[in-house]
């Protein structure tokens, strides 16, 4: 069964304390992996798309990486405004549009 | 551009009532979809559409209907509300190109409670 698992469920960090969020996937074939950010009471907001193992993408304090089994979202020197829930989703090779979503990691950055 | 808009933002229904959640986008996206988000679970696809007049079922379609008469609008109808339909509902859109993993743009959500 195709599955996407995110860990940890929640992560509390001090401002400036770098860490990583994990998205592991067990799928028959990967077209792409997405990272989204979701603020409380709002819809998910697109961050990155990764297409193949070894690919990396960066945006401000965030860097996403992809291997054949998992993706990491690295957060360097986070600020309180980085607090949000981070979602990952996978588009399968045999799917035109549909995604499998992880349950998310809630990140809290304390000043 | 307003992006993807949803109304209402909050709704309380009694069991058995029906209602329509509205969704509109102004990005000329052909692909639109409805998701529900429940605590501890990933987003689950309810229905989707690849263009006006074309709709299809997602992962959890039971109890919901959709129609797509224009590119811009994609309403979701709850036929007879049940407590299990208490959730946050998101509408999303993207460009149509089949197979290519393009990002989706989400609306702000509708928080629905069924008592």
């Amino acid at each position: 069964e195709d599955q996407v698992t995110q860990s940890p469920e929640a992560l509390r960090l001090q401002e400036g304390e770098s860490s990583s969020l994990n998205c592991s996937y067990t799928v028959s074939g990967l077209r792409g992996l997405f990272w989204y950010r979701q603020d409380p009471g709002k819809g998910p907001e697109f961050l990155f798309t990764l297409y193949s193992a070894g690919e990396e993408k960066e945006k401000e304090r965030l860097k996403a990486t992809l291997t054949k089994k998992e993706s990491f979202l690295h957060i360097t020197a986070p600020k309180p405004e980085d607090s949000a829930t981070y979602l990952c989703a996978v588009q399968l090779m045999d799917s035109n549009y549909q995604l499998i979503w992880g349950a998310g990691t809630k990140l809290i950055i304390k000043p | 551009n307003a992006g993807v808009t949803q109304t209402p933002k909050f709704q309380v229904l009694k069991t058995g009532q029906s209602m329509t959640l509205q969704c509109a986008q102004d990005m000329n996206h052909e692909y639109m979809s409805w998701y529900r988000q429940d605590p501890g679970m990933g987003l689950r696809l309810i229905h989707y559409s690849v263009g006006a007049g074309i709709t299809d079922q997602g992962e959890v379609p039971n109890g919901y209907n959709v129609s797509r008469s224009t590119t811009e609008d994609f309403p979701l109808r709850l036929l007879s509300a049940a407590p299990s339909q208490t959730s946050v509902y998101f509408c999303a859109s993207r460009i149509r190109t089949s197979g290519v993993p393009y990002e989706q743009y989400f609306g702000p959500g509708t928080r629905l409670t069924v008592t």
Side-chain angles (χ1 to χ4, degrees), chain B residues 88-105:
Chain B
V88 181
Y89 291 84
F90 290 102
C91 179
S93 74
R94 54 161 276 182
I95 65 173
R96 176 173 174 171
T97 310
S98 173
V100 179
Y102 281 106
E103 66 269 21
Q104 296 189 49
Y105 296 83

Side-chain angles (χ1 to χ4, degrees), chain A:
Chain A
E1 182 187 354
D2 299 313
Q3 201 167 356
V4 175
T5 304
Q6 290 187 248
S7 61
E9 288 186 17
L11 182 61
R12 293 175 184 269
L13 300 172
Q14 288 294 136
E15 183 173 0
E17 181 184 2
S18 302
S19 188
S20 298
L21 312 183
N22 178 263
C23 172
S24 65
Y25 57 92
T26 308
V27 299
S28 49
L30 181 77
R31 276 193 194 273
L33 184 143
F34 299 90
W35 281 100
Y36 283 80
R37 169 191 172 125
Q38 185 175 23
D39 291 304
K42 297 190 176 181
E45 180 183 346
F46 170 75
L47 292 172
F48 304 110
T49 308
L50 301 168
Y51 297 94
S52 58
E55 189 175 4
E56 299 184 353
K57 289 195 176 173
E58 288 189 64
K59 181 179 179 179
E60 297 180 359
R61 296 175 291 282
L62 300 177
K63 182 167 83 171
T65 63
L66 182 65
T67 73
K68 290 187 178 180
K69 294 183 180 180
E70 57 194 348
S71 177
F72 292 94
L73 186 65
H74 307 277
I75 302 177
T76 302
K79 298 181 178 182
E81 54 262 40
D82 294 320
S83 297
T85 296
Y86 290 86
L87 306 175
C88 81
V90 163
Q91 184 168 343
L92 304 182
M93 192 62 72
D94 61 359
S95 170
N96 286 331
Y97 301 101
Q98 295 192 31
L99 306 178
I100 301 174
W101 291 82
T105 293
K106 184 174 183 178
L107 179 65
I108 300 169
I109 308 298
K110 297 177 286 185

